[in-house]
Amino acid sequence: MYKKLPIVLFIILCSACTKNQQKSACGTQVCTAIFASIGVSFKDKNNNPVSVTNFKVLDLRTNKVLTNVISTTANFVPGYWIVVDDSDLPDLTTAGDDVEVFATNPATGETKTVLFKIAGGCNCHVSKVSGPDIITFD
């Protein structure tokens, strides 16, 4: 009985190794532990920050409004908003989705709609493929 014990333990240890392997369509990859986000600043024509209202991010592929965890918990520079963060990663494709950002300048009532392309999916973190860093109201 005791002669078989090392063999049984070896089999148990080897089978335990496969339980922790990542099983997803993305495969296994090594990613950093940072939490990434993509933001945009809103300015008026005099380059002053604008604290916008009616801020909304819409994924045009899914027609889904994207929300993120940072905007609701962080206090940034006036006029700065997070478009997406890593909490949105599974909602985006690896190649990138067209995402519309809507915001209103409360002082003038002007609404801006700007297009971004944001990648997620099997990438380690969200990344901006295209889109502005600053949105300026007229």
PDB file of all heavy atoms in Angstrom, residues 1-7:
ATOM      1  N   MET A   1       0.819  -1.196   0.000  1.00  0.00           N
ATOM      2  CA  MET A   1       0.000   0.000   0.000  1.00  0.00           C
ATOM      3  C   MET A   1       0.863   1.259   0.000  1.00  0.00           C
ATOM      4  O   MET A   1       0.610   2.180  -0.737  1.00  0.00           O
ATOM      5  CB  MET A   1      -0.957  -0.060   1.197  1.00  0.00           C
ATOM      6  CG  MET A   1      -1.754   1.184   1.409  1.00  0.00           C
ATOM      7  SD  MET A   1      -3.011   1.310   0.136  1.00  0.00           S
ATOM      8  CE  MET A   1      -3.809   2.753   0.641  1.00  0.00           C
ATOM      9  N   TYR A   2       1.874   1.302   0.864  1.00  0.00           N
ATOM     10  CA  TYR A   2       2.725   2.487   0.965  1.00  0.00           C
ATOM     11  C   TYR A   2       3.619   2.667  -0.251  1.00  0.00           C
ATOM     12  O   TYR A   2       4.074   3.759  -0.525  1.00  0.00           O
ATOM     13  CB  TYR A   2       3.578   2.429   2.243  1.00  0.00           C
ATOM     14  CG  TYR A   2       2.738   2.586   3.491  1.00  0.00           C
ATOM     15  CD1 TYR A   2       2.535   1.523   4.360  1.00  0.00           C
ATOM     16  CD2 TYR A   2       2.153   3.804   3.789  1.00  0.00           C
ATOM     17  CE1 TYR A   2       1.768   1.672   5.498  1.00  0.00           C
ATOM     18  CE2 TYR A   2       1.374   3.954   4.924  1.00  0.00           C
ATOM     19  CZ  TYR A   2       1.193   2.883   5.781  1.00  0.00           C
ATOM     20  OH  TYR A   2       0.439   3.035   6.898  1.00  0.00           O
ATOM     21  N   LYS A   3       3.855   1.607  -1.028  1.00  0.00           N
ATOM     22  CA  LYS A   3       4.657   1.719  -2.243  1.00  0.00           C
ATOM     23  C   LYS A   3       3.883   2.463  -3.329  1.00  0.00           C
ATOM     24  O   LYS A   3       4.467   3.113  -4.177  1.00  0.00           O
ATOM     25  CB  LYS A   3       5.056   0.335  -2.753  1.00  0.00           C
ATOM     26  CG  LYS A   3       6.036  -0.372  -1.841  1.00  0.00           C
ATOM     27  CD  LYS A   3       6.413  -1.712  -2.415  1.00  0.00           C
ATOM     28  CE  LYS A   3       7.373  -2.411  -1.476  1.00  0.00           C
ATOM     29  NZ  LYS A   3       7.791  -3.706  -1.988  1.00  0.00           N
ATOM     30  N   LYS A   4       2.574   2.389  -3.292  1.00  0.00           N
ATOM     31  CA  LYS A   4       1.742   3.041  -4.294  1.00  0.00           C
ATOM     32  C   LYS A   4       1.446   4.495  -3.934  1.00  0.00           C
ATOM     33  O   LYS A   4       1.012   5.269  -4.789  1.00  0.00           O
ATOM     34  CB  LYS A   4       0.433   2.289  -4.474  1.00  0.00           C
ATOM     35  CG  LYS A   4       0.623   0.909  -5.041  1.00  0.00           C
ATOM     36  CD  LYS A   4      -0.702   0.220  -5.205  1.00  0.00           C
ATOM     37  CE  LYS A   4      -0.494  -1.195  -5.712  1.00  0.00           C
ATOM     38  NZ  LYS A   4      -1.747  -1.908  -5.874  1.00  0.00           N
ATOM     39  N   LEU A   5       1.661   4.884  -2.693  1.00  0.00           N
ATOM     40  CA  LEU A   5       1.341   6.238  -2.232  1.00  0.00           C
ATOM     41  C   LEU A   5       2.079   7.330  -3.024  1.00  0.00           C
ATOM     42  O   LEU A   5       1.451   8.311  -3.431  1.00  0.00           O
ATOM     43  CB  LEU A   5       1.624   6.369  -0.730  1.00  0.00           C
ATOM     44  CG  LEU A   5       1.207   7.688  -0.080  1.00  0.00           C
ATOM     45  CD1 LEU A   5      -0.292   7.921  -0.245  1.00  0.00           C
ATOM     46  CD2 LEU A   5       1.578   7.684   1.384  1.00  0.00           C
ATOM     47  N   PRO A   6       3.392   7.219  -3.293  1.00  0.00           N
ATOM     48  CA  PRO A   6       4.057   8.267  -4.091  1.00  0.00           C
ATOM     49  C   PRO A   6       3.465   8.405  -5.491  1.00  0.00           C
ATOM     50  O   PRO A   6       3.362   9.521  -6.012  1.00  0.00           O
ATOM     51  CB  PRO A   6       5.509   7.809  -4.160  1.00  0.00           C
ATOM     52  CG  PRO A   6       5.691   6.898  -3.001  1.00  0.00           C
ATOM     53  CD  PRO A   6       4.358   6.247  -2.772  1.00  0.00           C
ATOM     54  N   ILE A   7       3.049   7.308  -6.092  1.00  0.00           N
ATOM     55  CA  ILE A   7       2.464   7.361  -7.431  1.00  0.00           C
ATOM     56  C   ILE A   7       1.117   8.075  -7.381  1.00  0.00           C
ATOM     57  O   ILE A   7       0.812   8.927  -8.224  1.00  0.00           O
ATOM     58  CB  ILE A   7       2.318   5.945  -8.024  1.00  0.00           C
ATOM     59  CG1 ILE A   7       3.710   5.340  -8.239  1.00  0.00           C
ATOM     60  CG2 ILE A   7       1.533   5.965  -9.315  1.00  0.00           C
ATOM     61  CD1 ILE A   7       3.704   3.889  -8.628  1.00  0.00           C
TER      62      ILE A   7
END
